[in-house]
Amino acid sequence: MTEPKSLEDIVEPEPLQGATQTGGPVYVKDPPAWSYFLTPAALILGSIVIAGTIWWTRDDSSGPGSTLNGAPAADAISSVPTASPVASAPAGLLDTMKSYARQTGLNEAAFSQCLGDSANVAELNGDLQEGKDLGVTGTPTFFVNNKMLVGAQPTAILEEIIQAELKGSPTTLEGYSAAVRELAAAGRFSIVAKKPDITGAAIEGNPGAKVVVAEYSDFQCPFCKQWTDTSLKAVRAKLGNDVALAFLHFPIVQIHPNAGNASLVAICAGKQGKFWPMHDLLFARQTEWAALK
């Protein structure tokens, strides 16, 4: 699919009325969420417990609610594809992610087992739901405390917002430059009532820092990669006691079908204290794994 010509990838949810779709997003009425389905890799590789392959339903079919590793997927409306998932393409994605696990020094057996843990699916859906509740519609979207910045904006813009928070957290747009006010007029910057809950999120810097830059991101999003390549180094230079960076998952699978897989891989790397090395590797190698089926 052609990527949108903007500074972020955008999703405009259209909740389904209890139907099942394939090849696109799956929404539920209450609460809206995506659900992920993990495929047993033992069927392919024998010694591996679970593969982190995420299956989505197609627009031209429907079926009953499905299960996650044999247990009901809460509030999810989807189904596992009828075709056998033991084709070589999903194994290619799995093998690639396993190679990343080795590169980042993970225990491979624990990593494989983690990919099959439904609690990690719930964590993803939790980030997605909270992001939607906060008004996130695309990636990347940043919350610098209670200041919302949409899109891969210039590094100087984010640095200005961080400095403003360190100096006292402006309550009106008058506390910002003309460039930031222009973004506000375009709907890309706003002062909001609530900031994200970063409990359980991957954090660099002091979790109790005065300023937390919380990024809602998608590992397959080219604009997220652009921001990571051009601005992350500058933000990291500010991290410490006063400034922290938090990552929140917002995989937009209708245009990035492997984004949910990548999020699961990063979460499982985080269980072994390697979230950020995996984060950096996934973005650096995005073109390598994004097209795998």
Side-chain angles (χ1 to χ4, degrees), residues 242-253:
D242 294 330
V243 181
L245 175 67
F247 186 96
L248 298 166
H249 299 270
F250 203 82
I252 305 175
V253 297

Side-chain angles (χ1 to χ4, degrees), residues 30-111:
D30 184 24
W34 288 281
S35 181
Y36 302 84
F37 297 90
L38 309 179
T39 304
L43 296 176
I44 307 171
L45 302 176
S47 62
I48 304 301
V49 179
I50 293 293
T53 303
I54 298 170
W55 295 97
W56 292 90
T57 54
R58 297 177 52 105
D59 288 345
D60 57 0
S61 65
S62 63
S66 61
T67 61
L68 178 66
N69 289 343
D75 297 316
I77 301 175
S78 185
S79 64
V80 177
T82 56
S84 172
V86 297
S88 59
L93 177 62
L94 174 62
D95 286 344
T96 298
M97 294 306 184
K98 283 174 58 183
S99 75
Y100 295 168
R102 290 191 291 271
Q103 290 176 54
T104 50
L106 300 183
N107 178 295
E108 194 170 329
F111 173 74

